[in-house]
Amino acid sequence: MTLTATETRTPQALAATFTGILWAAIRASDGPRPSEPRYHHIPAAYHPDWLAALPLPTLDSGPPTQQVALIRPGEYDRYLNGDALKQAHEARPRSRSFENVQRSCNWLSLVSQHLQRLSASELEVLVSLYESDHGDENLGPHWDVWYSAIVHLTGAKVWTLGHGVMDGTGPTRTLTTTAGDILLIPQGLAHDVSTPADPGHSRHLQFTLCRPPTLDGPLETTLLP
């Protein structure tokens, strides 16, 4: 199913439409607790123009309390949206993660609630908005302890999946997501990402389903001013 940019744009309508497409993809891919650790790539699930028009924060516009992490290998440096964030990014270009955007964005809050209910997740479904430019530093090879549902918004991202990204000995698969794609990554599946030179930028949303209730966070980090 694809959508045009003329769809009704109330928070409730946006959330219902967005969740319906994403949850249908998750269900068709063996659900958020799959029997086997396989990724699923669903191209063109959303209309790119519809996604591009969604109300989401940027470095230049967003709530002053929005926490943004600048990502480097193995670490997140966290800032509050503002001049310090922009200066730090200019001094050292890194991928950006707008964290917990569901707490300041009405329609994403509803999507989080829908996904938590549908997936029977014990904890809140967290939503992060990732953006990067070609050549930006990123986290490096890693795996997550939750089920990740990725919706690609703009640009392109190259994903390499499989334990071989960690030690170089196992098989890997490489794919590229572009605007409108969904990528579903089960818990524990190692992956690495990069932003290709063409078109040179990327934005995607990540939804964390079925997080372990004892998890405080994947990394020990501090909030910077």
Side-chain angles (χ1 to χ4, degrees):
M1 176 180 179
T2 59
L3 298 169
T4 68
T6 59
E7 293 290 321
T8 303
R9 297 189 57 78
T10 66
Q12 294 78 12
L14 287 179
T17 300
F18 189 99
T19 306
I21 295 173
L22 182 55
W23 184 247
I26 292 171
R27 285 192 62 188
S29 304
D30 200 20
R33 299 175 181 84
S35 56
E36 295 182 347
R38 295 180 178 176
Y39 70 88
H40 294 270
H41 179 207
I42 302 94
Y46 296 88
H47 193 288
D49 291 343
W50 188 80
L51 289 178
L54 291 173
L56 290 166
T58 68
L59 286 179
D60 295 317
S61 65
T65 57
Q66 174 64 58
Q67 182 169 292
V68 182
L70 298 183
I71 305 171
R72 52 193 170 96
E75 294 289 345
Y76 285 75
D77 298 326
R78 291 185 167 95
Y79 297 80
L80 295 179
N81 207 354
D83 291 340
L85 167 63
K86 295 176 184 178
Q87 291 170 7
H89 179 255
E90 290 174 359
R92 184 176 180 178
R94 286 163 277 175
S95 297
R96 284 80 66 197
S97 173
F98 296 74
E99 300 180 310
N100 296 327
V101 289
Q102 82 284 355
R103 296 176 185 173
S104 60
C105 187
N106 289 340
W107 73 273
L108 274 177
S109 176
L110 294 171
V111 173
S112 171
Q113 294 172 44
H114 294 330
L115 290 176
Q116 182 176 358
R117 173 179 54 82
L118 290 166
S119 64
S121 291
E122 185 171 348
L123 298 180
E124 177 186 17
V125 172
L126 304 180
V127 189
S128 295
L129 169 62
Y130 286 87
E131 65 178 27
S132 60
D133 300 308
H134 176 62
D136 281 354
E137 290 186 79
N138 59 46
L139 191 61
H142 67 283
W143 64 84
D144 299 317
V145 296
W146 50 76
Y147 180 96
S148 290
I150 307 297
V151 175
H152 202 102
L153 301 171
T154 60
K157 180 73 71 178
V158 176
W159 301 77
T160 304
L161 303 106
H163 197 74
V165 303
M166 304 299 298
D167 59 14
T169 62
T172 62
R173 298 289 185 273
T174 299
L175 61 89
T176 300
T177 55
T178 57
D181 290 6
I182 293 173
L183 177 62
L184 305 172
I185 305 177
Q187 294 168 319
L189 180 61
H191 53 279
D192 195 8
V193 299
S194 63
T195 303
D198 184 13
H201 63 90
S202 172
R203 290 189 107 205
H204 71 263
L205 288 168
Q206 179 194 49
F207 299 83
T208 61
L209 284 68
C210 307
R211 290 185 297 130
T214 57
L215 180 71
D216 293 327
L219 295 169
E220 291 296 328
T221 57
T222 58
L223 178 65
L224 302 178

